[in-house]
Amino acid sequence: VQLQASGGGLVQAGGSLRLSCTASGSIVSINVMGWHRQAPGKERELVAEITSGGNINYRDSVKGRFTISRDNAKNTVSLKIDSLKPEDTAVYFCNALGVTTFKGLHDIYWGQGTELTVSS
């Protein structure tokens, strides 16, 4: 199983951006897909996650600006970020938890990260 994230870049504050992540491989189902971020000099933190049933959990500091969505059939998860702030600058990582493949159940997979820089 591989996760490929895309959509990062250099964006001005106040703008919007959509990050996308696709999981590929012999996937039967994915329980939870999510996004974490790691800012320079800081620890990686959960931003948002969504279950296969559509239950969503957001980090408190991003509520109202971040919108996570997924397509179970395509094994994709997206993160829409509105009203971008310089403090959103980070490498954003997608992950998949509870992945069932034809070989069994696997705990977690991580994508390689996509870098977002927000200029003021």
Side-chain angles (χ1 to χ4, degrees):
V1 175
Q2 292 186 327
L3 275 70
Q4 182 70 43
S6 62
L10 175 62
V11 185
Q12 284 192 332
S16 297
L17 189 78
R18 180 182 295 275
L19 305 178
S20 298
C21 176
T22 300
S24 61
S26 302
I27 298 171
V28 175
S29 63
I30 301 173
N31 186 18
V32 181
M33 299 189 79
W35 289 93
H36 287 64
R37 67 184 179 186
Q38 187 167 17
K42 295 187 177 181
E43 294 186 354
R44 190 175 299 189
E45 61 185 20
L46 172 68
V47 173
E49 58 188 359
I50 181 170
T51 70
S52 57
N55 292 316
I56 293 173
N57 177 42
Y58 289 109
R59 184 176 193 81
D60 284 346
S61 61
V62 306
K63 288 180 179 178
R65 294 193 302 117
F66 286 37
T67 304
I68 190 170
S69 60
R70 68 183 281 181
D71 184 326
N72 292 332
K74 296 180 179 180
N75 294 320
T76 60
V77 61
S78 297
L79 186 70
K80 177 84 173 348
I81 309 174
D82 296 314
S83 302
L84 280 158
K85 302 177 180 180
E87 50 262 44
D88 294 324
T89 294
V91 178
Y92 285 73
F93 298 89
C94 59
N95 68 354
L97 294 86
V99 181
T100 300
T101 71
F102 293 116
K103 293 184 178 180
L105 178 63
H106 308 271
D107 287 342
I108 188 170
Y109 290 95
W110 288 93
Q112 85 287 359
T114 184
E115 187 169 3
L116 170 62
T117 302
V118 183
S119 62
S120 57

